[in-house]
Amino acid sequence: MKRIILTGANGFIASAIRQYNSDRFEFVNVTRKEIDFSKPDTVAPYLMEQEFDAIVHTAANAQTEFCANNPELSHAVNVESAVQAAEAAKAKGAKFLFISTEQVFNGKTESGPFKEDDPVSCVTNYGNQKIEVENWLNANAKDYIILRLSSMFGMAMPGVKPSSNFLMRTWNALRTKTPAAFTPNEQRGMTYVMHLAENFETILALPDGTYHVSSENNRTTYDLCVWIAKELGYSEEEISTYILPDNERYADRFRDYRLNTDKMKEFGMDFGTVEEDLDRCLKEFGWR
């Protein structure tokens, strides 16, 4: 059984991967208790003491505002520590899987979906930090995978604590009768996290390179949340009261950073549509 170092092991994505694949791999959980990723010099020495076949590096500070306000600290966490982890994997002759993001395209003026070899363009520190690591890996790493993820959604389950996502925000707004606003000026991929987790073994065996993971989506974020509310059986009046359009956000420029996943399809992985992913999630959690 292959031994996998899983950084950011308490996070949403890492937890889902571990939950679905615990009988296929031996996971070594690395959290802030084991490594302080704000201190990059400590990363490689700790990892070099471990025995492993691969590192799946999900550890990062993904808060856009934090990265903007703390460029040096977020660079240490998101770039310098990631490079140190990749160096350790290279020294051990192990595979390195780096979690990147669709946000590397959030500065594009043209519409998506974008392919893996399309030029990146980003307007945030967080996205640019991911680009910096991608560039380092492409220039220096061996036996590596860059996985650009779309927005991951899902619900809480034993051992898996989800990050805030559009499905949970929609449900909470309707359940608590507390209005929430979603932008109609954005179009992006949305993927059920368990759909990613069930493909993990195949992903880990991919050839070196960059790959996109996303369901297909032809709705704006606001339209998608309205669709969810209808699927959950709420009335037009309830939806118009609690699911509101945020017309100001991205009003200066419509943002479309959807990911093209044809490359993944060549390896037998089709993430389908966001409606299919949502339908599956709602059924698995008994909401249908």
Side-chain angles (χ1 to χ4, degrees):
M1 184 178 287
K2 288 187 176 180
R3 201 162 194 255
I4 311 293
I5 296 283
L6 194 58
T7 71
N10 290 334
F12 183 32
I13 294 168
S15 299
I17 289 173
R18 183 175 60 248
Q19 175 92 349
Y20 195 92
N21 296 278
S22 60
D23 60 339
R24 298 178 177 91
F25 300 97
E26 178 186 356
F27 288 102
V28 179
N29 299 325
V30 174
T31 69
R32 292 179 214 174
K33 292 180 180 179
E34 289 75 33
I35 297 178
D36 182 350
F37 289 99
S38 68
K39 299 176 180 177
D41 291 345
T42 68
V43 176
Y46 177 86
L47 293 174
M48 290 299 293
E49 293 179 356
Q50 313 303 314
E51 294 300 323
F52 55 88
D53 299 289
I55 295 176
V56 177
H57 188 64
T58 76
N61 191 311
Q63 298 179 9
T64 303
E65 186 175 356
F66 178 89
C67 294
N69 295 333
N70 302 274
E72 292 185 3
L73 178 56
S74 60
H75 189 273
V77 173
N78 292 340
V79 179
E80 296 165 46
S81 286
V83 168
Q84 286 292 303
E87 290 275 27
K90 184 178 178 180
K92 288 275 193 174
K95 174 157 281 188
F96 185 72
L97 193 157
F98 176 66
I99 298 298
S100 190
T101 172
E102 64 183 0
Q103 298 296 323
V104 300
F105 294 112
N106 69 20
K108 301 285 275 188
T109 56
E110 62 267 39
S111 297
F114 298 106
K115 295 182 178 181
E116 285 84 350
D117 57 359
D118 284 335
V120 295
S121 177
C122 186
V123 295
T124 61
N125 276 353
Y126 171 65
N128 281 315
Q129 288 166 357
K130 290 292 187 180
I131 291 171
E132 188 174 346
V133 179
E134 288 189 12
N135 290 339
W136 187 92
L137 292 171
N138 287 324
N140 299 282
K142 294 181 179 178
D143 200 10
Y144 72 100
I145 295 170
I146 297 168
L147 213 59
R148 290 179 183 153
L149 303 185
S150 57
S151 178
M152 295 283 127
F153 70 85
M155 304 301 294
M157 64 181 79
V160 180
K161 182 180 180 181
S163 305
S164 176
N165 59 75
F166 74 106
L167 174 59
M168 291 179 60
R169 288 185 60 214
T170 301
W171 166 242
N172 286 334
L174 295 163
R175 179 178 59 85
T176 64
K177 301 185 185 302
T178 304
F182 305 87
T183 181
N185 301 316
E186 171 191 77
Q187 204 166 2
R188 60 193 299 191
M190 312 275 188
T191 310
Y192 183 28
V193 71
M194 296 309 290
H195 203 163
L196 165 68
E198 71 185 10
N199 281 284
F200 174 73
E201 187 172 14
T202 305
I203 289 170
L204 198 62
L206 288 169
D208 290 5
T210 302
Y211 299 88
H212 288 171
V213 172
S214 178
S215 57
E216 296 176 6
N217 177 33
N218 294 314
R219 303 175 190 266
T220 69
T221 300
Y222 168 72
D223 288 339
L224 190 58
C225 293
V226 169
W227 180 85
I228 292 169
K230 290 178 180 178
E231 291 296 300
L232 291 172
Y234 285 88
S235 67
E236 294 286 349
E237 181 180 358
E238 289 172 312
I239 294 170
S240 63
T241 300
Y242 302 115
I243 307 300
L244 308 178
D246 182 352
N247 293 308
E248 297 300 318
R249 191 176 190 190
Y250 307 142
D252 58 324
R253 177 175 58 84
F254 186 90
R255 297 199 180 189
D256 178 357
Y257 36 92
R258 291 171 296 160
L259 301 176
N260 179 296
T261 59
D262 287 347
K263 189 175 178 180
M264 276 296 206
K265 291 176 184 176
E266 293 175 4
F267 290 92
M269 286 172 281
D270 187 345
F271 290 89
T273 68
V274 66
E275 290 89 353
E276 290 169 340
D277 260 3
L278 282 163
D279 184 62
R280 173 183 167 182
C281 180
L282 295 177
K283 286 177 178 177
E284 288 184 350
F285 284 89
W287 289 11
R288 284 203 187 283

